Amino acid sequence: MPEFAFIGRSNVGKSSLINMLTNHKKLAKTSGRPGKTQLINHFVINDNWYLVDLPGYGYAKVSKNQRNKFQAYISDYIINRENLYCLFVLVDCRHEPQKIDMEFIEWLGEKQIPFALIFTKSDKLGKNQLHSNVAAYKKQLRKTWEELPPIFMSSAETGFGKEEILNFIAETDPSLENMV
Ligand code: GDP
């Protein structure tokens, strides 16, 4: 089954967005490999795709060694997953382009991982400010990318962006009808 994964810095609003996209249903986790810490969670959606919840990156509070291990684990998933159709990278719309996000996005490019950007918490900004922040991101991205990735704005508070993101998922794999 196709997999669509979600990643971002901790506190970016990933859990809230996932809840919003899945109508706050209690999701059934698929059984992970026994003995492995459940860093990466797979949820079956509609019996036809996996929503993959990846842990937040950029923890300041863990040791460098822990962080490296953790990153190796996520990178390993991202690089080796054949069924990963798209990785959604979440960024908080209130912040300027962050170094850690830009580095991560650059790495995705090097590894040729298909990804899209989702701006979270859009309800926290006025329309003009939101568009100006998104424009700042695009400008930054254009320094490295000829073509911009798909970009979505969202709010878990108001449900803004939900349909667009779900439609994008359905269109990426046309076998996915009857979305969440
Ligand atoms: P995670 O650590 O990335 O999973 O982030 P959470 O989903 O736990 O959200 C972090 C904080 O941001 C919580 O206090 C949420 O209530 C808040 N939050 C998340 N999404 C939104 C949103 O779309 N709008 C607003 N106003 N707050 C949000």
Side-chain angles (χ1 to χ4, degrees), residues 9-10 57-64 67 100:
R9 303 180 75 176
S10 39
Y57 55 75
Y59 285 110
K61 284 184 188 147
V62 299
S63 71
K64 203 168 175 197
R67 193 155 62 226
I100 189 166

Side-chain angles (χ1 to χ4, degrees), residues 1 87 94 102 165:
M1 287 203 293
L87 176 63
R94 294 170 298 173
M102 299 313 294
I165 295 168

Side-chain angles (χ1 to χ4, degrees), residues 48-105:
N48 58 8
W49 62 283
Y50 283 117
L51 185 156
V52 184
D53 187 2
L54 295 173
Y57 55 75
Y59 285 110
K61 284 184 188 147
V62 299
S63 71
K64 203 168 175 197
N65 185 30
Q66 261 176 310
R67 193 155 62 226
N68 288 345
K69 261 196 205 157
F70 177 79
Q71 277 168 356
Y73 193 75
I74 307 176
S75 323
D76 191 53
Y77 163 80
I78 293 175
I79 293 170
N80 295 317
R81 272 296 155 151
E82 282 167 30
N83 290 336
L84 180 61
Y85 276 47
C86 183
L87 176 63
F88 291 103
V89 180
L90 276 54
V91 292
D92 190 319
C93 73
R94 294 170 298 173
H95 303 149
E96 310 239 292
Q98 305 279 305
K99 192 162 172 259
I100 189 166
D101 294 321
M102 299 313 294
E103 282 174 359
F104 181 65
I105 289 170

Side-chain angles (χ1 to χ4, degrees), residues 13 22 34 47 88 99-101 109 121 141 150-151 153 164 167:
T22 56
D47 289 332
F88 291 103
K99 192 162 172 259
I100 189 166
D101 294 321
K121 310 187 188 182
L141 288 169
I151 292 178
M153 288 172 243
E164 223 189 322
N167 284 341

Side-chain angles (χ1 to χ4, degrees), residues 8-20 53 56 59 90 92 94 119-124 154-159:
R9 303 180 75 176
S10 39
N11 222 35
V12 71
K14 182 170 53 88
S15 316
S16 308
L17 182 84
I18 288 175
N19 282 331
M20 184 261 262
D53 187 2
Y59 285 110
L90 276 54
D92 190 319
R94 294 170 298 173
F119 288 88
T120 59
K121 310 187 188 182
S122 69
D123 59 285
K124 291 202 180 228
S154 73
S155 162
E157 282 289 308
T158 66

